[in-house]
Amino acid sequence: MKLYSKKTEGGCKTIKIMGMLIYQREKTEDILKRKIFMGLCKSQTIRDDSKSIYVFGIRLYKRTLPVTKSQLNMLLGRVNDIYYNMQVLVKVPIVHKYFLRYKNCNVGKNIVLYAGGPTFRYFDNNKCKALKCGVNGIITLVSDLNYLFIEDIFIHDKNLNEMIDNYEGKNCEKFYGLLPPRRLKKINRYEYTTEKITPMNVYRAKANVFLLEDVVRSKWATDLEVEAFGDFGGAALSALQFLLYTHPKRIYLVGNDCSNEQLAYHSDRPKVTDHSAKINNYQSFKRFARVVYPDVRIISVNPVGLRGIFRECYTRSFLKDHPEIEVEEHQIIHEKNIM
């Protein structure tokens, strides 16, 4: 028998002398328990809200701990989230009723989601015969989109909204996301970059309107006819919620680079230098999609910032310019085979 032993495992720490329990500390997410001398004296703290001390199993002391400033701020933040978000949620069942006609409408089909990353230029859109969904200024490079998503008035690209409103594509169905007031204020807090899409834009484009939650990175939407879209920082991640809702066989991500390189199309919008939050959002989306639609394959074409997240494939033109990337033959994709 050891004279003295000390053991730490997970959130539990135990000290024994000659096999007798002298001290034990056990911590879970909400509760901290301590035992002294074979448990004759115990203490228990619950969520930093209350603390109790027991001797021989009898509670001798109980104290409710004061609420900290950080706890008050967290509570105030949650109350604000509920207050602002309710102004969006009460409208959703009316505004989103039309989504029912898209539910499972693409079963068995392949869809390409085009974003503006520079790797778009390594993908031959003309050879691809699948359904096509795009975001923002990708309309200047793809003439045959089936779906188009935007969420902004592009202050720095003055003509882009008019071009998007007038875009025809391949009988393109347009979806315009309406940013709620609190979200707009937060986006523009350092530099005025966007504004809420106007009713005139919606009318001119004959666009469908969708609502975004007024809580950032709260939850992904599953039933779009009764839920607001989760706001995960960009039209591409809103489009992905819609594409999953249509339940295709595969979704190919093209130009979803999350890199600091110049966009494939011209834009005067300020560049985002830190893409870590957006990459985390794609990782979150992967987990969501795996649970809700495990049969839908999401494939990243020529991945850069998203490398290692989704299934990956590469075009020969991209590999030619990046010989440092070694891939198996089955990872090389031919655009004409996506249909």
Side-chain angles (χ1 to χ4, degrees), residues 126-144:
N126 293 324
K127 292 181 179 179
C128 176
K129 303 304 178 186
L131 290 171
K132 298 169 185 178
C133 178
V135 298
N136 304 333
I138 202 68
I139 63 153
T140 61
L141 302 177
V142 181
S143 62
D144 58 346

Side-chain angles (χ1 to χ4, degrees), residues 44-96:
Q44 178 173 276
T45 304
I46 301 176
R47 292 189 303 272
D48 294 330
D49 295 330
S50 66
K51 182 176 182 179
S52 300
I53 296 176
Y54 301 82
V55 177
F56 296 109
I58 301 172
R59 187 171 70 188
L60 299 182
Y61 173 82
K62 181 178 181 180
R63 177 169 69 96
T64 301
L65 302 178
V67 178
T68 64
K69 185 176 180 180
S70 63
Q71 288 174 320
L72 284 173
N73 288 336
M74 181 177 67
L75 181 61
L76 179 61
R78 289 180 178 177
V79 171
N80 279 336
D81 285 346
I82 294 170
Y83 170 74
Y84 284 103
N85 208 30
M86 281 303 299
Q87 298 177 52
V88 175
L89 300 184
V90 295
K91 304 173 187 176
V92 168
I94 299 172
V95 177
H96 281 200

Side-chain angles (χ1 to χ4, degrees), residues 95-96 98-99 136 148-154 161 174-180 184 194-198 201-202 207-213 229 231 234-235 238-239:
V95 177
H96 281 200
Y98 72 90
F99 272 113
N136 304 333
L148 174 63
F149 277 74
I150 68 167
E151 297 174 358
D152 298 277
I153 291 292
F154 302 99
N161 282 100
K174 300 170 189 175
F175 297 85
Y176 285 11
L178 302 184
L179 293 168
L184 269 173
T194 188
E195 193 49 82
K196 185 176 180 179
I197 295 173
T198 69
N201 291 109
V202 175
N208 300 299
V209 168
F210 68 93
L211 304 177
L212 290 143
E213 277 201 314
F229 279 64
D231 186 347
S238 294

Side-chain angles (χ1 to χ4, degrees), residues 216-247:
V216 180
R217 291 183 290 276
S218 172
K219 66 178 182 63
W220 299 96
T222 302
D223 298 309
L224 298 182
E225 72 275 12
V226 291
E227 290 184 78
F229 279 64
D231 186 347
F232 287 84
L237 287 155
S238 294
L240 279 172
Q241 293 173 74
F242 169 77
L243 295 183
L244 268 190
Y245 182 77
T246 70
H247 204 165

Side-chain angles (χ1 to χ4, degrees), residues 84-295:
Y84 284 103
N85 208 30
M86 281 303 299
Q87 298 177 52
V88 175
L89 300 184
V90 295
K91 304 173 187 176
V92 168
I94 299 172
V95 177
H96 281 200
K97 193 185 301 183
Y98 72 90
F99 272 113
L100 271 174
R101 69 175 178 262
Y102 296 101
K103 194 165 191 174
N104 300 320
C105 70
N106 289 323
V107 171
K109 300 177 183 178
N110 294 327
I111 299 179
V112 178
L113 174 61
Y114 288 121
T119 61
F120 166 85
R121 297 195 178 278
Y122 292 98
F123 187 89
D124 192 339
N125 171 66
N126 293 324
K127 292 181 179 179
C128 176
K129 303 304 178 186
L131 290 171
K132 298 169 185 178
C133 178
V135 298
N136 304 333
I138 202 68
I139 63 153
T140 61
L141 302 177
V142 181
S143 62
D144 58 346
L145 291 176
N146 301 96
Y147 306 116
L148 174 63
F149 277 74
I150 68 167
E151 297 174 358
D152 298 277
I153 291 292
F154 302 99
I155 301 299
H156 293 86
D157 295 323
K158 295 183 179 179
N159 298 320
L160 184 54
N161 282 100
E162 184 176 352
M163 292 170 62
I164 290 172
D165 291 345
N166 295 324
Y167 178 80
E168 294 184 2
K170 193 173 182 179
N171 296 318
C172 183
E173 299 186 70
K174 300 170 189 175
F175 297 85
Y176 285 11
L178 302 184
L179 293 168
R182 185 175 65 155
R183 178 64 168 147
L184 269 173
K185 186 176 181 180
K186 186 175 182 180
I187 292 172
N188 292 326
R189 66 189 183 280
Y190 299 124
E191 184 177 358
Y192 181 50
T193 61
T194 188
E195 193 49 82
K196 185 176 180 179
I197 295 173
T198 69
M200 191 62 209
N201 291 109
V202 175
Y203 173 76
R204 185 166 56 197
K206 299 178 181 178
N208 300 299
V209 168
F210 68 93
L211 304 177
L212 290 143
E213 277 201 314
D214 203 353
V215 183
V216 180
R217 291 183 290 276
S218 172
K219 66 178 182 63
W220 299 96
T222 302
D223 298 309
L224 298 182
E225 72 275 12
V226 291
E227 290 184 78
F229 279 64
D231 186 347
F232 287 84
L237 287 155
S238 294
L240 279 172
Q241 293 173 74
F242 169 77
L243 295 183
L244 268 190
Y245 182 77
T246 70
H247 204 165
K249 185 176 182 180
R250 298 182 188 90
I251 299 173
Y252 292 88
L253 306 179
V254 175
N256 291 247
D257 291 10
C258 294
S259 72
N260 292 327
E261 300 300 319
Q262 187 68 38
L263 292 175
Y265 56 84
H266 173 78
S267 175
D268 292 323
R269 299 187 84 185
K271 287 180 65 176
V272 177
T273 56
D274 184 4
H275 292 271
S276 57
K278 183 162 285 188
I279 292 170
N280 288 337
N281 291 341
Y282 275 97
Q283 291 172 327
S284 172
F285 177 78
K286 176 188 176 180
R287 293 190 293 269
F288 163 73
R290 183 186 293 166
V291 172
V292 180
Y293 291 100
D295 58 321

